[in-house]
Amino acid sequence: MNNLTLLYYTANVLPDRPAENVRKYLLKVTKHQFPIIAVSQEPIAFGDTNVVMGNIGRTYYNCYKQILTGAQLVKTRYIACVEDDTLYSMEHFNHRPSSGVFAYNGNMWYAEYEKYWRKFEGQSGMCGCIVETNLLKEYLTPRFLKFPNPPDNER
């Protein structure tokens, strides 16, 4: 049994063609072997489930809100966070971190908005995160309970 779900999230700011190509590449690399939950701000035809958040805007707060929203639907032990502008290798999705650990892969390519593809080296971000589903929910849920609205600088 597969124990990983791909949690794809997007603010829908990439033009349609590159966004579709990134999604096609993800399916090609993974050979459709993982369930996909897509959390987007506009409807997209991608994944097993598409949760549409509405046009909430592209902020860090809303990015994590989309991640938590998708995580609440995941039924597998692990989540791989997948961003709309990042290219992944299958090796990335083969990794399973130790219990209680957020694992980050910093060796991938991503689209730097309005520029070019750039190697994601020496950095970390949720786009490279694989984590136990319960651990991710355990860390994010209390933060959104404490701060149910975005900070003033992200409105």
Side-chain angles (χ1 to χ4, degrees), residues 4-9 37 39 63-74 76-82 97-104 125-144:
L4 180 74
T5 295
L6 306 184
L7 177 53
Y8 175 91
Y9 49 97
I37 294 176
V39 184
C63 179
Y64 283 100
K65 185 175 187 176
Q66 287 183 247
I67 291 169
L68 178 57
T69 298
Q72 292 167 337
L73 301 174
V74 172
T76 57
R77 180 173 177 190
Y78 295 96
I79 290 175
C81 292
V82 178
S98 301
S99 185
V101 173
F102 283 73
Y104 295 92
M126 290 306 288
C127 68
C129 182
I130 296 180
V131 62
E132 290 172 302
T133 302
N134 289 338
L135 184 63
L136 181 62
K137 292 190 291 189
E138 176 185 313
Y139 273 79
L140 289 181
T141 300
R143 286 157 176 80
F144 280 94

Side-chain angles (χ1 to χ4, degrees), residues 101-117:
V101 173
F102 283 73
Y104 295 92
N105 179 2
N107 189 21
M108 58 193 66
W109 290 87
Y110 71 101
E112 193 167 275
Y113 291 103
E114 300 177 4
K115 292 187 181 179
Y116 51 85
W117 287 99

